[in-house]
Amino acid sequence: MRATSFGRITLALCATVFFLTACSGMQPVRPVTINLVAINDLHGHLEATSKSFTGVGDASPRKIKAGGIDTIGGALNAWRAEDPQLLLVGAGDLIGASPALSSIWADEPTIAALNQLQLRVSSVGNHEFDQGTAELLRDQQGGCHSNRPDKACHFGPTFSGAGFSYLAANVISNASGQPLLPPYRIEQVRGLKIGFIGGVVRETEKMVSADGIASVHFTDEADAINRWVPELKAQGVSAIVVLIHQGGETSEPFDKSNCQQLRGPIVDIVKRLDPAIRLVISAHTHNGYTCQVDGRTVTQGDSFGHMLTRITLTVDPGVADLAGKITAINARNVLMDPQRFTADPALASFLQQLQGRSNVILAQPIARIAVPHVDKQINDAGESPLGDLIADSQLAATRKLGARIALINHKSLRENLESGTGGSNYAQVAATTPYGNTLVLMNLSGSQILALLEQQSWLEEDRPGGRIMLQVSHGFSYRWDARQPLGQRVVRGSVKLDGVALEPQKQYRVSVNSFIAQGGDGFSLLTQGSERIDTGINDLDALSQYLIASERDGHPAGSVQAASRFLRLH
């Protein structure tokens, strides 16, 4: 009896320390290395572009041409030669607000390129919702039924959709009460299960057209992510990685290890995450960093494919507590320098074919402009030369329908308007307004227009997202005083149309883009406009026609300086 009891105790001890001891001659389980590469905020930038970067040890910024799917493919080829089980993951905004090379084909070439790069999983970003949830689901599942019939399935006769999984733990279907997309995905690497949970910036509902996301609502990022941790634990994952389209900023170099000065919305989110989560791959703010927040590693790889984030996890399968299984995390951002990485031949060929087909459209001249360059950058008052130009184009497009004022949000301006030797071509014009908004007419009283102006984010400190200013059409003017409190900054009596002060009770026909017409960028007052009409006029078409008409009339559009339609006092 005593011998039998001893045998049972021995067996029990062996079972307990099975993975940690040499019980029955077995060797201890060794730590496992998991290699990840992250990409974020690609925004359909399939070609390399120039940007200045300041890295560790740089005395001054250095400007290089970086990115391009062929170079990205080459870097991944080199790293996969070292580790064939490397996982490529994303943190959203891979498509949307894209250059014309991708956007004229409904971003299908970007999805195809990401499939070739063997992307496995990505959170959604706010720009994945630019065309609404139905189009997002088409991007995931494939098919040709689209709200962009002039673009969808023109790149190819069919569209198979993303070969990777989009994740969104905090995008909830109103009908089912469940996430619209899978909240998480489990990948197996070297016999271990790695769980990825996806999330998107909660304020997405303020960043895209309301009608496109009417079937869903967005919840708190940290709460939504934490909800799924117990389920992943129950499935035996060895690590949980968060892919989230929200971020922060730091003045530290993009390649500094374990930076300590990260600030912004991502910091609070990270601090509220379950302790089992040790790695957060962030996005949205187009900043490059690998930082430490509350004992966790938080990364972001700039934007437009300029850099990828290489991450190595060391996992000890013998540790029972999930929070302690990851014994080390090494993360660093690597510039996608075409001089350093040999281009992937298949992706180089794909890009060349895409450029050839696209250039037939993109090289088409639109019109000459008055200056070589019309800048989108707002001045101290909040006005930009490009904002003036596009507001005027939208007024011109809707004037025959009764519009007297046109207003646009300056954040709808994506790129400066450039001009070549033959004038601005389709690609250059399309780059300025890539969101596909239509123009909406509505009536607002003079007092409502005054209240609308007060909804602007006049100064950087007014709102976490910084300044959000309305650009106004010719003939509309006002002054504002930075010394006054929010809600009282417009100088009373200064708001005028064609030199005449607005009358509080009089109705004015106003033209705005469909994004802010639905309250986007915080302009909720526009949802109160009466006698609303969506004209169906595309903002890009309005701009193109205005440029053509201006040149034809002998007065090409565009200016180097803003027109001082509104002035800042003090």
Side-chain angles (χ1 to χ4, degrees), residues 167 169 182-187 192-198 224-243 274 276-277 279 320 322 325:
L167 306 180
Y184 68 82
R185 179 181 173 89
I186 296 175
E187 294 284 346
L192 300 183
K193 294 180 178 179
I194 310 298
F196 295 90
I197 306 177
I225 290 166
N226 289 339
R227 173 189 172 188
W228 299 100
V229 171
E231 188 166 314
L232 284 169
K233 286 182 176 179
Q235 297 187 57
V237 299
S238 294
I240 297 176
V241 178
V242 166
L243 307 171
D274 188 287
I277 297 167
L279 173 63
L322 184 59
K325 279 184 180 292

Side-chain angles (χ1 to χ4, degrees), residues 198-366:
V200 65
V201 51
R202 185 177 187 177
E203 289 76 17
T204 294
E205 58 194 4
K206 299 177 182 178
M207 300 174 181
V208 298
S209 295
D211 55 356
I213 55 170
S215 63
V216 298
H217 62 277
F218 297 78
T219 64
D220 180 84
E221 301 97 332
D223 290 345
I225 290 166
N226 289 339
R227 173 189 172 188
W228 299 100
V229 171
E231 188 166 314
L232 284 169
K233 286 182 176 179
Q235 297 187 57
V237 299
S238 294
I240 297 176
V241 178
V242 166
L243 307 171
I244 182 169
H245 195 77
Q246 177 58 291
E249 296 179 345
T250 179
S251 59
E252 297 163 286
F254 71 90
D255 54 350
K256 180 179 180 179
S257 297
N258 300 320
C259 76
Q260 301 292 324
Q261 299 176 27
L262 187 64
R263 62 189 183 276
I266 192 63
V267 174
D268 175 65
I269 293 171
V270 170
K271 289 181 176 180
R272 293 189 294 119
L273 292 177
D274 188 287
I277 297 167
R278 297 280 311 284
L279 173 63
V280 177
I281 297 172
S282 70
H284 188 52
T285 49
H286 295 197
N287 204 215
Y289 52 75
T290 57
C291 293
Q292 291 295 306
V293 175
D294 202 28
R296 311 171 206 254
T297 300
V298 185
T299 73
Q300 185 177 170
D302 196 73
S303 61
F304 303 165
H306 288 145
M307 62 181 70
L308 298 181
T309 309
R310 294 193 72 179
I311 305 167
T312 299
L313 305 179
T314 302
V315 182
D316 188 343
V319 175
D321 180 21
L322 184 59
K325 279 184 180 292
I326 297 179
T327 59
I329 302 175
N330 179 271
R332 59 191 178 97
N333 285 321
V334 182
L335 288 175
M336 292 294 98
D337 185 350
Q339 302 301 315
R340 177 179 176 184
F341 299 103
T342 302
D344 177 86
L347 282 163
S349 176
F350 173 85
L351 182 58
Q352 185 177 27
Q353 293 176 24
L354 172 63
Q355 290 166 330
R357 290 185 58 191
S358 301
N359 284 342
V360 175
I361 301 170
L362 302 181
Q364 294 176 1
I366 297 294

Side-chain angles (χ1 to χ4, degrees), residues 377-413:
Q377 185 66 39
I378 58 176
N379 60 19
D380 191 50
E383 183 181 5
S384 76
L386 184 60
D388 292 342
L389 172 59
I390 294 183
D392 288 348
S393 76
Q394 296 185 6
L395 178 62
T398 53
R399 193 187 296 276
K400 290 184 178 179
L401 300 175
R404 299 192 63 194
I405 302 167
L407 305 170
I408 64 169
N409 53 319
H410 88 267
K411 288 199 170 183
S412 69
L413 312 179

Side-chain angles (χ1 to χ4, degrees), residues 448-512:
Q448 285 179 312
I449 292 174
L450 176 60
L452 172 65
L453 294 176
E454 294 287 9
Q455 288 189 324
Q456 295 180 101
S457 179
W458 308 91
L459 306 170
E460 288 291 336
E461 58 267 27
D462 287 344
R463 187 183 301 185
R467 302 182 76 184
I468 300 179
M469 300 293 292
L470 290 169
Q471 306 299 291
V472 307
S473 56
H474 176 74
F476 186 81
S477 62
Y478 68 92
R479 292 175 293 163
W480 65 279
D481 191 339
R483 299 173 303 177
Q484 301 304 314
L486 282 171
Q488 302 176 37
R489 288 189 173 153
V490 177
V491 176
R492 298 307 186 259
S494 71
V495 185
K496 298 179 180 180
L497 179 61
D498 297 328
V500 179
L502 265 59
E503 300 176 30
Q505 302 305 317
K506 184 175 180 178
Q507 297 290 307
Y508 297 87
R509 200 71 169 147
V510 179
S511 175
V512 298

